[in-house]
Amino acid sequence: MLNAKQHAREAEIVAEAGRPGMITIATNMAGRGTDIVLGGNIEKPTAAIRDDEALAADEKERRTAALKAEWQKVHDQVLAAGGLHIIGSERHESRRIDNQLRGRSGRQGDPGSSRFYLALDDPLLKIFAGERLNTIMVRLKMPEGEAIEHPLVSRSLESAQRKVEQRNFDIRKQLLEYDDVSNDQRKVIYQQRNELLDSDDIAETITAMRQGQIHDTLRLYIPAESVEEQWDVGGLETALAAELHLKLPVGEWITAEPQLGDDDILKRLLDAGDAAYAEKTTNVDAAAWSGFERNVMLQSLDTHWREHLSALDHLRQGIHLRGYAQKNPKQEYKREAFELFEGLLQTVRSEVSKLLLTVEVRSEEQIEAVETPPPLENVQYHHADYDEALGTAEPKAAQPVERQTPKVGRNDPCPCGSGKKYKHCHGKLS
């Protein structure tokens, strides 16, 4: 039984399916693409004779000619018998698969035939035409096991296959439309990732991300086109110090310069961020720092991209429920997927900016000073049972056990008054 698992061996077996008297049982997937020659495959034994170095050239030609003459007799015998006959035990949902199986019997104009057997219990007929055909058979009083070869059955079967193919096509089309959304986002992410890998210096990208993060932080506490009474200067200073390690006296700037606007504050914050970042990288090798920036960027991008793909899968599983609210699920999926993608880019920018601004650069001497603990003096280590091990602790005297109630023999009456012996009542062993 060939089941399309051992492709090489199954191809050799299927290639010999054209020999006389050969019966090959296989699935419709096994041995696909194998040339079935009527009379058997002669190429392999011919190649074996040709590659045999122990034979002379004349002997090779003689054996090859004898092999071809023998094959020609077998070939003519198979042609006279009608060629290869295909027997199908069911019809596939796709007509293309049936035609592939049927086409094995007609190789390059060779004679052949095919026949398919179905039952009314087969899924294809049961779903689309089983009840109607069963009703017709009951009305015509056809005996059990009688073969039906009416054109009506063939037309009903082809109609069922067309319906299944149309349904499968709609499923693939809808799936492709959903995949196009994630595919467009994938192209953007992979393009950015390839640019990171190909570029030697990503300082401009890091600067743009850092300035964008500072801008977003400012607008969170000082909205655009707002009056000074709406500004949360204290919250801005706290956020800059906690998230970006930028301790800037924004309140003092505004007090000292009342005419200072939000754009001026933004420019000072950007300059302060650039200066802090430049000071951090002063004593570091430029190539090493550039590699560190690239690694941080790639790690953040890869991690959040995987989480984003998982979020898209969860979104797709339940997006069809939006149809109950008279909304188009595809449009809702595109809208929410775009919002998730914007959140992904924002998260990557925020994480990279915060990490690079808060990281502290230390020299090897400073690291060794931190890692090396100071020596301890006048320290004695003792186990919890140290005194007992030395025998210096005073031994505890054994205390006698005092019985609270008078002793009762096992065969004495139980004190509870039940009349039973003590061993059968409260003194019973568990």
Side-chain angles (χ1 to χ4, degrees):
M1 178 62 187
L2 309 183
N3 54 5
K5 289 187 177 180
Q6 302 180 23
H7 302 286
R9 292 186 57 193
E10 292 178 1
E12 296 177 0
I13 296 174
V14 171
E16 299 295 332
R19 298 181 63 85
M22 182 69 69
I23 299 176
T24 306
I25 303 176
T27 62
N28 54 9
M29 295 292 293
R32 282 200 309 173
T34 305
D35 192 11
I36 302 178
V37 182
L38 298 184
N41 189 358
I42 196 176
E43 294 181 359
K44 188 174 182 180
T46 304
I49 295 175
R50 185 175 59 250
D51 297 337
D52 191 355
E53 299 180 354
L55 298 177
D58 297 340
E59 182 65 17
K60 291 182 180 181
E61 293 180 1
R62 187 186 65 80
R63 292 192 179 187
T64 302
L67 185 62
K68 290 183 179 179
E70 182 182 356
W71 174 85
Q72 188 64 39
K73 293 180 181 179
V74 178
H75 178 70
D76 296 339
Q77 179 183 352
V78 176
L79 291 179
L84 185 64
H85 183 63
I86 301 296
I87 298 178
S89 61
E90 63 177 353
R91 292 288 288 270
H92 198 268
E93 291 181 352
S94 174
R95 291 172 293 175
R96 176 180 58 85
I97 303 298
D98 289 341
N99 293 333
Q100 285 181 351
L101 186 59
R102 186 181 290 116
R104 294 188 181 187
S105 62
R107 170 192 172 273
Q108 299 182 5
D110 289 340
S113 58
S114 62
R115 190 177 186 87
F116 288 82
Y117 293 89
L118 291 89
L120 294 178
D121 294 335
D122 287 352
L124 194 61
L125 284 177
K126 194 173 183 180
I127 294 175
F128 294 97
E131 295 183 359
R132 185 173 60 172
L133 289 177
N134 194 15
T135 303
I136 294 175
M137 292 181 63
V138 172
R139 290 180 180 178
L140 296 178
K141 298 181 179 180
M142 299 187 66
E144 185 74 19
E146 184 71 16
I148 306 175
E149 298 184 1
H150 196 276
L152 174 63
V153 180
S154 300
R155 287 197 299 268
S156 299
L157 189 59
E158 291 180 1
S159 176
Q161 287 179 318
R162 281 195 295 269
K163 291 179 182 178
V164 174
E165 289 174 356
Q166 182 63 33
R167 176 178 175 274
N168 293 338
F169 174 76
D170 293 338
I171 292 175
R172 291 193 299 269
K173 180 181 178 182
Q174 185 176 11
L175 184 63
L176 182 61
E177 291 177 352
Y178 282 111
D179 285 342
D180 284 342
V181 177
S182 59
N183 189 42
D184 293 340
Q185 298 178 0
R186 185 181 295 107
K187 290 180 180 178
V188 175
I189 293 297
Y190 281 14
Q191 180 182 0
Q192 293 184 357
R193 199 175 189 282
N194 291 333
E195 290 177 356
L196 290 175
L197 293 174
D198 295 337
S199 60
D200 297 330
D201 187 8
I202 59 172
E204 295 183 0
T205 304
I206 297 298
T207 300
M209 296 175 67
R210 181 178 63 253
Q211 292 180 354
Q213 180 63 24
I214 295 176
H215 177 271
D216 292 344
T217 304
L218 172 70
R219 291 310 176 192
L220 187 62
Y221 297 94
I222 301 181
E225 299 180 358
S226 60
V227 295
E228 188 174 347
E229 287 75 10
Q230 297 175 323
W231 294 359
D232 185 5
V233 179
L236 176 61
E237 292 179 349
T238 304
L240 291 174
E243 297 178 0
L244 303 177
H245 281 200
L246 295 177
K247 298 180 180 180
L248 303 175
V250 181
E252 297 179 3
W253 295 347
I254 298 175
T255 303
E257 304 178 34
Q259 74 280 4
L260 197 65
D262 56 346
D263 293 336
D264 299 328
I265 296 176
L266 176 61
K267 186 177 183 305
R268 293 190 181 185
L269 293 181
L270 295 178
D271 294 340
D274 294 341
Y277 194 76
E279 182 182 358
K280 189 185 297 294
T281 60
T282 302
N283 300 325
V284 184
D285 181 60
W289 184 259
S290 178
F292 174 70
E293 290 177 334
R294 183 183 294 104
N295 291 335
V296 170
M297 183 73 177
L298 289 175
Q299 182 178 5
S300 177
L301 191 63
D302 293 345
T303 301
H304 292 290
W305 173 245
R306 288 193 295 268
E307 296 177 356
H308 177 71
L309 291 179
S310 178
L312 288 182
D313 289 338
H314 289 297
L315 176 63
R316 184 188 298 184
Q317 292 177 3
I319 198 65
H320 64 278
L321 298 176
R322 305 292 177 89
Y324 292 107
Q326 304 300 320
K327 295 181 180 179
N328 189 351
K330 298 176 185 176
Q331 297 298 328
E332 291 294 309
Y333 179 78
K334 292 179 180 179
R335 181 180 61 80
E336 294 205 11
F338 181 73
E339 293 177 358
L340 289 174
F341 188 67
E342 284 187 333
L344 163 70
L345 299 180
Q346 174 65 25
T347 303
V348 171
R349 182 178 65 181
S350 175
E351 183 177 287
V352 173
S353 301
K354 291 178 181 178
L355 196 149
L356 292 178
L357 276 175
T358 56
V359 68
E360 296 183 0
V361 181
R362 292 287 184 267
S363 62
E364 294 182 1
E365 293 79 6
Q366 292 174 327
I367 295 175
E368 292 178 356
V370 172
E371 292 181 350
T372 304
L376 300 178
E377 298 179 356
N378 298 327
V379 177
Q380 294 181 356
Y381 297 96
H382 292 290
H383 193 268
D385 300 331
Y386 179 73
D387 293 334
E388 293 184 11
L390 294 179
T392 57
E394 297 180 358
K396 296 182 179 179
Q399 301 294 329
V401 178
E402 297 182 359
R403 189 184 305 275
Q404 302 296 330
T405 58
K407 182 178 180 180
V408 181
R410 288 180 51 77
N411 291 319
D412 295 340
C414 187
C416 68
S418 62
K420 298 181 181 180
K421 292 184 178 181
Y422 181 69
K423 65 181 180 181
H424 295 309
C425 192
H426 286 79
K428 187 176 181 180
L429 298 177
S430 57

